[in-house]
Amino acid sequence: MIYMGINSTNNAPGSGFNLYGLNDVYSNTAIEANTAFTQANNTWNSGGTIDVNNNFIISVVPTAVIYGSNNAATTEEEISIPLDSTQKDTSTGGFTGNLFPSSHPFTVAFF
């Protein structure tokens, strides 16, 4: 399974869930399989809302792909998130604002 974490504040310390527990990558929004949810300091699913303006947030397109000489098949997934998506999380340490802000960098991590 592929997980995706988005930190809209570009990994400012304490600005989201501490991915990997290494204090290097934080996430205020996470996507697990076909589900998107908010995250806050020390909270995996903080219960906020994500607004994608009635667009699909995730399009999973499974296809068999052959890699390498051992012909091992794998699954390819496509994740599509509208650039105007927003989040509202009023929990302690939660984030409210654009997932992909145009005014400053943001961080995306796959794990």
Side-chain angles (χ1 to χ4, degrees):
M1 179 170 310
I2 296 175
Y3 297 87
M4 179 179 171
I6 301 169
N7 187 293
S8 302
T9 62
N10 200 33
N11 274 343
S15 65
F17 186 79
N18 183 4
L19 298 179
Y20 316 117
L22 299 174
N23 300 318
D24 288 329
V25 180
Y26 298 90
S27 174
N28 56 264
T29 303
I31 298 169
E32 177 182 4
N34 287 330
T35 304
F37 53 93
T38 61
Q39 295 184 305
N41 297 353
N42 300 313
T43 308
W44 176 254
N45 185 345
S46 55
T49 59
I50 298 172
D51 182 3
V52 294
N53 296 322
N54 296 318
N55 292 315
F56 293 107
I57 191 163
I58 303 168
S59 302
V60 178
V61 183
T63 55
V65 181
I66 306 300
Y67 287 106
S69 60
N70 63 357
N71 292 331
T74 187
T75 299
E76 207 175 89
E77 293 186 20
E78 177 181 323
I79 300 173
S80 174
I81 305 169
L83 290 175
D84 61 351
S85 299
T86 60
Q87 166 177 325
K88 182 176 183 180
D89 185 354
T90 58
S91 65
T92 302
F95 171 79
T96 295
N98 293 326
L99 293 185
F100 307 109
S102 60
S103 61
H104 60 271
F106 55 88
T107 303
V108 175
F110 293 92
F111 57 102

